[in-house]
Amino acid sequence: MTKGTTSFGRRNGHSHTLCKRCGRKAFHIQKHACASCGYPSPKMRRYNWSQKAKRRQKIGTGRMRHMKKFLLLAKRRQNEDAAGPHKKVKTKFNRGALKKARKEKLAAEAKSQ
């Protein structure tokens, strides 16, 4: 058997398949573990020796189904702040009037005793 072309023709097996979590073709079939994200481990696989890989998996690189709502809210608030000060919302609840009413009630009870 030769070392070159004929030997490479025999390589037709697959050790890795698609991962459920990250979607990459890095899930090892026999080991039952993903080489990219570490699935089924609950924590994502991440190392400081690979800054580029960390950037690829950062927040904001995916769909952000949940975080998108908060970013939109923050942007809306920022636009409102730039437009001008917030208007005070008038409510029926008035703390000053309640305090005054309580004082009057306590004074009336004190006089009656």
Side-chain angles (χ1 to χ4, degrees), residues 44-62:
M44 288 289 281
R45 178 183 171 273
R46 192 172 177 168
Y47 294 103
N48 287 330
W49 47 258
S50 182
Q51 293 296 322
K52 209 181 260 190
K54 283 172 74 174
R55 279 199 302 271
R56 288 188 199 114
Q57 296 173 345
K58 236 179 182 180
I59 293 172
T61 55

Side-chain angles (χ1 to χ4, degrees), residues 29-41:
I29 298 165
Q30 287 182 325
K31 289 182 184 175
H32 298 288
C34 180
S36 176
C37 70
Y39 181 82
S41 170

Side-chain angles (χ1 to χ4, degrees), residues 3-21:
K3 290 187 248 178
T5 311
T6 52
S7 299
F8 283 101
R10 292 173 175 269
R11 294 185 177 188
N12 57 6
H14 296 282
S15 58
H16 292 90
T17 186
L18 294 176
C19 175
K20 288 179 189 178
R21 182 159 65 185

Side-chain angles (χ1 to χ4, degrees), residues 79-92:
N79 291 340
E80 287 172 359
D81 290 344
H86 293 291
K87 293 180 180 177
K88 284 189 177 179
V89 180
K90 290 184 179 180
T91 59
K92 294 177 183 177

Side-chain angles (χ1 to χ4, degrees), residues 5 13 27-28 33 46 50-51 67 70 77 83 90 106 112:
T5 311
F27 188 80
H28 199 282
R46 192 172 177 168
S50 182
Q51 293 296 322
M67 287 292 291
F70 298 108
R77 284 190 190 126
K90 290 184 179 180
L106 287 170
S112 64

